[in-house]
Amino acid sequence: MPPTKRRHSRRTFRQILAGVRRRVRRAAGAARSGWRRSLQLQVVTSTMVISVIVVVVLGTFLFGQINKSVVEGSQKTSVGEAFADRLQIADALAPNVADQAKAADGGQQGSANPLDAVMNAVTGAGAGGTQKRYDVLVLNRSLPGASRGSGSVVPEDVPASLQAGVQRNIREQQYDKPALGYMEKIKFADASQARLTYVVGGVVHVPANGQNYEVYHFFPFNEEEELLVNVRLAIVVVGFGLVLLLAAIAYLVTRQVVTPVRLARQAAERLASGKLDERLKVRGEDDLARLANSFNEMAANLALKIHQLEELSHVQRQFVSDVSHELRTPLTTVRMAADLLYDAREDFDPMAARSAELMQNQLERFESMLADLLEISRYDAGAATLDLEPVDVRDVVLRAIGDSEALAERHATRFELRLPNEPCMAEIDNRRVERILRNLLFNAIEHGEGRDIVVTVGADRDAVAIAVRDHGIGLKPGEETMVFDRFWRADPSRARTIGGTGLGLAISREDATLHGGWLQAWGQPGEGSQFRLTLPRTAGTDLKGSPLPLVPPEIEMRRTWRTAMTPVLLPALGGDGAGHAED
């Protein structure tokens, strides 16, 4: 195969393998997620695992006991039969040996081997005898040819360790010692495969001629082995069925408990989504029924409280709106009188002139607060609307900065603009966005402590963003969202330096939300703060991201550097160098 084709085949194989890995990981993740989310599946799985462990332990113990009982019982029976056969062989060999000796003295020819008749009598092979289930082998190692065996057994079938034990008994003349036993798989001459056989060895001593005969009984354990195989199969089948039965029982039991809980969860979700008339069906008088009753009572009380709060909120909003509207008429009259006094302040004495100036300033602040209250009441009533038009956001930023320059000069603050070269067009309400930027700039001037304020504009295909960055006191952890609450102050003891109403950022967030955009804040004590306004280029589209980062780039770079350098600096600083690494 050419090298190019080999590389292509290897690459194809890697791609297939990677695809298989991805599918396996995806399937494993789905299974893991399903297991975590389903209480019923967890209970059934736990029940099956515990059941498998219990069934395996009990099955192993039970099979061991049955195996021990069957094998030991058969072995005891076999040893008893072998002992009885050895007695019969001893009784049969003594007269046969004596007859053979007399025949030899009288010159008569006796039986070729006295074991022939003995074997027929022992194994039941003679006339009228019952064939036994086992085979017998009788060996006489001192007389060549004086060995006989029933069936197809031969001396080579006797295990070597058993022969050694029998020979040791002969040497020690322990003829009445209990028989030796040995279990082994033996393949006999007339068998197609080896079968489990229990071989029992013993010694028969004939005092008439002083000969020792080794007697081996071959007891087939095929029936016992087949019985144990069937028992093992029965235990496995019964255990498997028991595990499935326990899993089914666990499934049914948990279903009775989980189904009402699942219905309660669904009802709670619908209740949380605003469907306050959601209730559970009550069946019976058990704990689940009492839970359903408690849930329904809770839902009813919650709906009542929410209804009362909505009415109270509506009354409060209506009160604020009515008061704001009603205050405009007397405020206009007071404003006209205050303007006359302010214009004629030069004719007054110094105390009266100063009072006219203070009244003029406070009336301007009161008018601003009244306008903000009216705007908030429109948002609360859902009556705020947008006057959309395609606008270059850079122009809006420049106008807002122009309106803030006078205040920035009084606080010795400068603006640093970072505007893109290309137009940043977006469908926005020019007046509302400009008001958002003025509020952000005023807030940055008030809390910037005279340091430069950086205004950055960014844009991508879907959104435009404006970031206002100051280097003042910053925000504490958790204040990033509280800063948009109405009348909230980071430091209540700190007086407002520019006469704000405390509603500017709250109105700004409402304006951003009305556009379908985001108004977010970041801050860190001693590092200043940054507010980011993100608006969609086309009205009505959902935002997926922002062209500008919320955390200033220099702060993010510093964090990255610290993270990368901490493992290097800690060993050099003796293990605990967090404070030095921070520096």
Side-chain angles (χ1 to χ4, degrees):
M1 182 183 293
T4 304
K5 290 186 177 180
R6 282 200 299 269
R7 286 195 297 270
H8 178 70
S9 62
R10 285 197 298 268
R11 186 164 54 251
T12 304
F13 176 75
R14 292 196 193 97
Q15 292 173 353
I16 294 174
L17 190 60
V20 171
R21 286 202 200 97
R22 285 195 298 271
R23 291 188 183 93
V24 170
R25 284 197 297 267
R26 194 178 299 116
R32 189 163 52 249
S33 176
W35 189 84
R36 287 198 303 264
R37 293 169 61 88
S38 176
L39 177 62
Q40 190 172 6
L41 181 59
Q42 293 178 16
V43 173
V44 173
T45 304
S46 302
T47 303
M48 288 189 66
V49 172
I50 297 174
S51 302
V52 168
I53 295 174
V54 172
V55 167
V56 169
V57 173
L58 292 181
T60 303
F61 174 76
L62 181 61
F63 180 76
Q65 293 298 316
I66 294 175
N67 184 24
K68 182 179 179 181
S69 177
V70 171
V71 172
E72 287 184 353
S74 298
Q75 287 178 352
K76 289 181 180 179
T77 303
S78 301
V79 170
E81 292 181 0
F83 181 75
D85 285 350
R86 287 204 305 273
L87 293 178
Q88 185 179 0
I89 291 172
D91 293 340
L93 279 175
N96 287 335
V97 171
D99 293 342
Q100 188 177 18
K102 290 179 181 179
D105 292 339
Q108 299 177 4
Q109 186 176 1
S111 175
N113 194 331
L115 294 179
D116 292 335
V118 174
M119 290 300 298
N120 292 332
V122 171
T123 60
T130 302
Q131 184 70 35
K132 295 186 178 180
R133 67 183 183 92
Y134 55 85
D135 294 322
V136 181
L137 177 65
V138 181
L139 299 177
N140 190 337
R141 300 183 185 275
S142 61
L143 296 176
S147 301
R148 289 293 183 269
S150 63
S152 59
V153 295
V154 293
E156 288 76 12
D157 294 332
V158 181
S161 58
L162 184 59
Q163 291 185 27
V166 173
Q167 290 293 330
R168 185 168 54 253
N169 287 351
I170 293 174
R171 288 194 304 269
E172 297 174 357
Q173 297 183 358
Q174 296 179 355
Y175 306 126
D176 296 332
K177 189 173 182 179
L180 301 174
Y182 192 87
M183 187 79 73
E184 192 176 65
K185 284 275 189 177
I186 300 176
K187 182 179 180 182
F188 298 99
D190 61 345
S192 59
Q193 59 183 1
R195 61 177 183 265
L196 186 64
T197 305
Y198 182 58
V199 186
V200 179
V203 180
V204 173
H205 178 66
V206 181
N209 59 357
Q211 296 294 324
N212 294 314
Y213 294 86
E214 301 175 24
V215 181
Y216 298 98
H217 286 73
F218 295 82
F219 293 93
F221 270 44
N222 295 341
E223 295 180 0
E224 290 80 357
E225 187 177 16
E226 184 177 355
L227 174 62
L228 293 176
V229 170
N230 293 333
V231 169
R232 185 189 301 113
L233 180 62
I235 291 176
V236 171
V237 173
V238 172
F240 182 73
L242 182 61
V243 170
L244 293 181
L245 180 61
L246 291 175
I249 293 174
Y251 174 81
L252 294 176
V253 172
T254 53
R255 182 181 178 85
Q256 293 179 351
V257 178
V258 171
T259 299
V261 175
R262 187 176 294 135
L263 294 176
R265 175 185 60 80
Q266 296 173 355
E269 290 175 352
R270 289 191 290 269
L271 188 67
S273 64
K275 298 179 181 179
L276 301 180
D277 56 345
E278 185 66 29
R279 298 294 183 272
L280 290 176
K281 294 182 180 179
V282 180
R283 297 186 180 91
E285 299 179 357
D286 55 5
D287 293 335
L288 294 176
R290 290 199 294 270
L291 174 63
N293 281 324
S294 301
F295 179 87
N296 293 337
E297 292 177 2
M298 179 195 68
N301 294 332
L302 183 62
L304 178 61
K305 293 296 182 182
I306 290 177
H307 181 68
Q308 293 175 352
L309 290 175
E310 286 179 347
E311 289 184 349
L312 178 61
S313 177
H314 176 72
V315 170
Q316 290 177 343
R317 290 196 300 267
Q318 189 65 36
F319 174 77
V320 172
S321 178
D322 294 343
V323 169
S324 300
H325 282 285
E326 293 298 328
L327 285 177
R328 281 196 170 276
T329 300
L331 181 62
T332 302
T333 303
V334 173
R335 179 70 178 182
M336 293 174 60
D339 288 341
L340 290 175
L341 294 176
Y342 184 77
D343 293 338
R345 68 184 183 280
E346 295 181 355
D347 299 334
F348 301 155
D349 59 84
M351 293 294 295
R354 179 58 180 166
S355 298
E357 292 177 355
L358 291 176
M359 184 174 62
Q360 183 74 9
N361 293 334
Q362 293 304 314
L363 278 175
E364 290 179 353
R365 183 180 179 185
F366 185 64
E367 283 183 337
S368 177
M369 183 179 296
L370 188 60
D372 290 344
L373 288 174
L374 286 173
E375 190 68 22
I376 286 291
S377 66
R378 292 191 190 98
Y379 281 117
D380 292 339
T385 58
L386 293 176
D387 185 12
L388 298 175
E389 58 178 333
V391 177
D392 189 352
V393 176
R394 297 180 302 174
D395 297 337
V396 181
V397 172
L398 291 175
R399 287 196 299 271
I401 289 178
D403 295 339
S404 307
E405 282 183 347
L407 182 63
E409 289 178 357
R410 289 200 301 269
H411 287 76
T413 301
R414 295 184 304 173
F415 293 115
E416 179 183 344
L417 295 179
R418 299 176 181 177
L419 304 178
N421 296 327
E422 298 80 8
C424 301
M425 304 301 296
E427 294 180 1
I428 59 175
D429 188 330
N430 190 13
R431 178 182 64 86
R432 293 182 184 276
V433 174
E434 189 173 339
R435 180 171 61 189
I436 294 174
L437 294 179
R438 282 199 303 269
N439 286 329
L440 296 181
L441 293 173
F442 289 171
N443 183 75
I445 293 171
E446 181 176 4
H447 298 91
E449 297 183 343
R451 298 171 184 169
D452 292 351
I453 297 174
V454 181
V455 180
T456 307
V457 178
D460 57 17
R461 185 181 60 183
D462 301 320
V464 295
I466 306 165
V468 178
R469 168 85 162 100
D470 66 75
H471 299 81
I473 59 177
L475 296 173
K476 299 177 182 178
E479 294 182 347
E480 295 85 357
T481 56
M482 298 171 60
V483 72
F484 297 106
D485 294 342
R486 300 175 185 181
F487 301 107
W488 181 84
R489 288 188 183 184
D491 186 3
S493 62
R494 177 186 173 112
R496 300 185 187 275
T497 60
I498 59 176
T501 62
L503 295 172
L505 292 179
I507 294 175
S508 298
R509 184 176 60 178
E510 296 290 349
D511 284 335
T513 304
L514 193 63
H515 281 82
W518 305 332
L519 182 58
Q520 299 163 297
W522 169 89
Q524 186 173 322
E527 297 289 348
S529 60
Q530 177 167 291
F531 289 78
R532 183 185 66 181
L533 173 65
T534 307
L535 301 172
R537 279 183 176 269
T538 304
T541 59
D542 295 332
L543 289 176
K544 298 180 180 179
S546 179
L548 296 177
L550 180 60
V551 180
E554 65 272 13
I555 302 297
E556 192 65 35
M557 289 178 61
R558 195 181 306 167
R559 289 179 181 175
T560 305
W561 182 85
R562 288 172 181 168
T563 303
M565 292 302 295
T566 298
V568 179
L569 293 176
L570 281 178
L573 295 172
D576 186 13
H580 300 284
E582 187 75 15
D583 296 335

